[in-house]
């Protein structure tokens, strides 16, 4: 499988090249040149199979010629071996035909582990084969950073630097990052919000001289290999609920648009996904887009669901590329306009096409607390604030009739409730306990750097700290 850039000026390149570089050299994001499909028989054969086997089957289609099905099977087995639940991504029915897919059974108890644990192994493999080193630079609004530091720590040929907005991640998220004490692993507290962190990362990637000299790689959700493993739980959930014969809908708490875009890919691969609910918190740029066709950036407002406190959803560019019939020039000019003016529009017919699949939903902090309360009282399930937004969106779609009763809705539960204990405690009066492997987390030693969001300052820190 070959990959091209959403901005039309990079590629086609192979899977491992796309993996190692992350962001395309023209500023765009990599996507496969076309969408591979499995036919209904092939999907049926995956029903009820172990998670790692389904993962290997799906992912190997995208690495054809570079990582074989056999190699992918051993990679996937290794990736998911230590997850705390035998099903890896189990489904729990919360109400009639509304299911929660629990994506918090990895080491840092958020769904980012499902991709990051794979990514670190794929990196290892590719760098080893090439006899190369890499410097990973990423920005996080919380969960990506902990998952990345956890997955990449201690690799001999990778240094990892993770920027996070100081004071805007939860104490547990922060400690998960800063308690990774390993050579080559660096958590950097940045004076600024998530978008400032992400802008700095993008600026350093645009500096091609710096990028090549450092062997810079991106592992935030713009990396195609981050998206790929996320297709898998859409497939296991849909198959468990009756696909390929039966249509299924998903409700996805959304920030950077990575997780939900994986749902789009799952549909392109042939799964009968009827609707993807794009659920946001008060930072509702995507909700407004799917309502009006206008992308309009506003200031990021802190909320109870910090991993969704984003106003520039990087992965949206991939959907835009699809909506604009894969016209890289058109994407480039829209993104240029967005970066200069903070807004762009799509035509009504393009919006209509997007709305065939995507349905917007927005929930504020009070509604989030209400949903945590409601799910606890009615189903005995403790949701984290992000997951609560997805569940509320599913209930709402059912109640308003936009998704009929016969179509199962799967709400993705993106984090363990113990990752956001203060909001959960506010809602139900009980602070959920961390799972056993993290029970001493808050007593662990911390180590971090502090930095401004100036790209030059961050570049200097990388130069000083990276191992040669
Ligand atoms: C990352 C994250 C999200 C947002 O996912 P995107 O892929 O960025 O849209 C939502 N909830 C939680 C808990 C997360 O960690």
């Amino acid at each position: 499988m070959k990959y091209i850039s959403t901005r039309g000026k990079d590629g086609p390149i192979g899977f491992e090249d796309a993996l190692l570089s992350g962001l395309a050299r023209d500023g765009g994001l990599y996507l496969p040149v076309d969408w591979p499909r499995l036919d209904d028989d092939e999907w049926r054969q995956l029903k009820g199979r172990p998670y790692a086997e389904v993962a290997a089957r799906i992912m190997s289609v995208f690495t054809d010629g570079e990582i074989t099905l056999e190699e992918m099977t051993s990679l996937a087995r290794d990736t998911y071996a230590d997850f705390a639940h035998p099903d890896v991504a189990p489904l729990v029915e919360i109400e009639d035909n509304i299911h929660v897919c629990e994506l918090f059974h990895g080491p840092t108890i958020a769904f980012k582990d499902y991709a990051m644990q794979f990514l670190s192994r794929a990196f290892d493999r590719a760098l080893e084969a090439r006899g190369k080193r890499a410097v990973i630079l990423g920005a996080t609004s919380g969960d990506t950073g902990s998952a990345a530091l956890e997955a990449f720590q201690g690799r001999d040929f990778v240094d990892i630097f993770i920027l996070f907005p100081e004071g805007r991640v939860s104490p547990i998220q922060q400690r998960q990052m800063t308690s990774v004490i390993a050579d080559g692993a660096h958590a950097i507290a940045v004076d600024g919000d998530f978008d400032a962190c992400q802008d700095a990362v993008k600026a350093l990637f645009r500096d091609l001289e710096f990028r090549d000299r450092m062997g810079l790689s991106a592992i935030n959700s713009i990396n195609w290999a981050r998206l790929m493993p996320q297709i898998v739980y859409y497939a296991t959930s849909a198959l468990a609920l009756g696909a390929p014969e039966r249509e299924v809908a998903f409700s996805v708490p959304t920030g950077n648009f990575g997780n939900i875009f994986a749902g789009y890919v799952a549909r392109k691969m042939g799964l009968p996904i009827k609707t993807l609910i794009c659920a946001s918190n008060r930072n509702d740029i995507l909700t407004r887009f799917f309502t009006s066709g206008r992308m309009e950036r506003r200031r990021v407002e802190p909320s109870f669901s910090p991993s969704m406190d984003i106003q520039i959803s990087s992965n949206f560019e991939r959907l835009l590329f699809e909506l604009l019939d894969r016209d890289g020039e058109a994407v480039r000019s829209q993104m240029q306009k967005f970066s200069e003016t903070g807004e762009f529009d799509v035509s009504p017919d393009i919006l209509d096409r997007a709305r065939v699949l995507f349905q917007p939903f927005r929930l504020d902090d009070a509604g989030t607390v209400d949903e945590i309360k409601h799910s606890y009282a009615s189903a005995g399930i403790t949701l984290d604030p992000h997951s609560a937004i997805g569940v509320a969106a599913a209930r709402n779609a059912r109640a308003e009739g936009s998704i009929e009763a016969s179509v199962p809705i799967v709400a993705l539960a993106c984090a363990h409730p113990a990752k956001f204990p203060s909001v959960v405690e506010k809602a139900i009066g009980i602070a959920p306990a961390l799972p056993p492997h993290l029970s001493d987390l808050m007593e662990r030693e911390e180590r971090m750097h502090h930095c401004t969001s100036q790209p030059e300052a961050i570049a200097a820190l990388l130069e000083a700290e990276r191992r040669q």
Side-chain angles (χ1 to χ4, degrees):
M1 178 63 77
K2 295 285 185 206
Y3 291 82
I4 49 171
S5 166
T6 50
R7 299 198 188 174
K9 295 227 159 85
D10 187 0
I13 62 169
F15 169 76
E16 285 190 345
D17 286 327
L19 163 78
L20 293 177
S21 55
L23 191 67
R25 300 183 79 84
D26 59 4
L29 282 69
Y30 290 118
L31 274 183
V33 290
D34 49 39
W35 296 116
R37 282 181 73 90
L38 303 192
D39 65 30
D40 284 1
D41 270 344
E42 290 171 309
W43 286 121
R44 258 178 235 119
Q45 280 161 20
L46 293 175
K47 255 185 209 280
R49 304 303 305 162
Y51 190 88
E53 190 182 313
V54 182
R57 179 71 180 90
I58 290 174
M59 296 199 291
S60 63
V61 182
F62 293 98
T63 61
D64 189 28
E66 291 181 75
I67 306 178
T68 63
L69 175 60
E70 206 180 356
E71 290 170 307
M72 191 62 95
T73 303
S74 84
L75 256 180
R77 284 207 182 113
D78 188 49
T79 297
Y80 299 109
D82 292 334
F83 279 54
H85 196 287
D87 291 348
V88 182
L91 283 176
V92 177
E93 189 162 13
I94 190 170
E95 189 188 302
D96 235 9
N97 225 6
I98 296 182
H99 307 256
V100 166
C101 176
E102 295 181 351
L103 299 175
F104 48 72
H105 296 290
T108 70
I109 60 174
F111 83 88
K112 309 289 197 293
D113 290 326
Y114 288 71
M116 208 64 85
Q117 289 290 326
F118 168 78
L119 193 70
S120 66
R121 286 164 173 83
F123 252 81
D124 230 18
R125 192 184 171 280
L127 289 167
E128 191 177 358
R130 293 173 184 210
K132 276 193 167 170
R133 299 187 56 81
V135 170
I136 285 172
L137 174 63
T140 184
S141 56
D143 294 330
T144 305
S146 44
L149 284 161
E150 178 71 38
F152 280 93
Q153 62 174 315
R155 308 266 179 216
D156 283 341
F157 33 79
V158 182
D159 293 285
I160 176 163
F161 295 84
I162 295 294
L163 314 183
F164 68 91
E166 180 145 33
R168 301 229 183 162
V169 299
S170 79
I172 288 177
Q173 287 176 321
Q174 175 164 331
R175 190 66 62 116
Q176 281 184 317
M177 289 189 270
T178 56
S179 66
V180 172
I181 313 277
D183 280 351
H186 304 272
I188 306 170
V190 170
D191 183 13
D193 63 15
F194 170 70
D195 288 339
C197 295
Q198 184 151 275
D199 284 347
V201 168
K202 284 188 176 167
L204 293 177
F205 271 90
R206 273 196 301 269
D207 181 345
L208 296 182
E209 186 277 323
F210 181 75
R211 178 173 169 175
D212 288 341
R213 188 156 49 81
M214 304 293 282
L216 222 52
S217 292
I219 47 83
N220 40 350
S221 60
I222 54 182
N223 193 311
W224 166 256
R226 272 281 303 283
L227 267 165
M228 205 171 70
Q230 297 179 352
I231 305 165
V232 180
Y233 42 77
Y234 285 92
T236 53
S237 301
L239 293 171
L241 294 170
E245 287 76 18
R246 187 187 194 196
E247 287 191 315
V248 180
F250 287 88
S251 176
V252 189
T254 296
N256 237 329
F257 209 72
N259 208 10
I260 195 169
F261 192 78
Y264 173 88
V265 178
R267 185 172 191 255
K268 283 285 177 192
M269 291 186 76
L271 286 168
I273 296 175
K274 186 184 170 60
T275 304
L276 292 169
I277 304 174
C278 177
S280 356
N281 62 25
R282 62 196 295 181
N283 297 292
D284 60 350
I285 183 169
L286 290 165
T287 311
R288 286 182 282 117
F289 173 81
F290 285 116
T291 308
S292 69
R294 158 164 287 224
M295 195 66 94
E296 187 194 359
R297 180 160 101 207
R298 294 188 187 153
R299 246 165 39 101
V300 178
E301 307 269 0
S303 80
F304 285 170
S305 40
S307 297
M308 296 157 70
D309 289 347
I310 287 169
Q311 285 287 355
I312 306 172
S313 298
S314 324
N315 268 292
F316 185 82
E317 182 166 340
R318 289 192 159 106
L319 181 66
L320 187 64
F321 183 64
E322 292 280 291
L323 292 172
L324 298 176
D325 293 323
R326 301 196 145 217
D327 178 347
E329 264 317 307
V331 172
R332 168 195 300 274
S333 88
Q334 292 284 47
M335 295 317 294
Q336 181 83 26
K337 181 158 181 245
F338 189 58
S339 120
E340 283 162 8
T341 66
E343 55 188 59
F344 69 84
D345 294 278
V346 299
S347 64
D349 59 306
I350 286 179
L351 177 62
D352 285 348
R353 264 165 57 199
R355 289 175 55 115
V356 169
L357 180 61
F358 292 94
Q359 184 174 305
F361 179 79
R362 170 192 196 276
L363 193 67
D364 62 12
D365 284 347
T368 305
V369 168
D370 284 347
E371 181 55 55
I372 296 171
K373 252 186 223 164
H374 178 60
S375 286
Y376 187 70
S378 69
I381 284 176
T382 310
L383 297 172
D384 99 283
H386 307 78
S387 310
I389 294 175
V391 170
R395 291 193 208 277
N396 174 70
R398 190 72 94 211
E400 72 179 19
S402 56
I403 300 176
E404 61 262 44
S406 62
V407 175
I409 309 177
V410 179
L412 300 184
C414 294
H416 190 286
K419 209 156 183 178
F420 302 93
S422 63
V423 180
V424 176
E425 187 169 8
K426 191 189 294 277
I428 61 171
I430 303 164
L434 285 161
H437 75 277
L438 290 175
S439 57
D440 67 336
L441 178 70
M442 298 312 284
E443 282 87 61
R444 292 181 196 166
E445 183 194 339
E446 281 197 285
R447 192 177 82 177
M448 72 184 116
H449 306 274
H450 294 271
C451 201
T452 68
S453 61
Q454 292 301 313
E456 299 74 24
I458 293 162
L461 203 154
L462 263 62
E463 295 269 18
E465 295 289 338
R466 85 173 157 134
R467 298 171 297 176
Q468 297 282 345

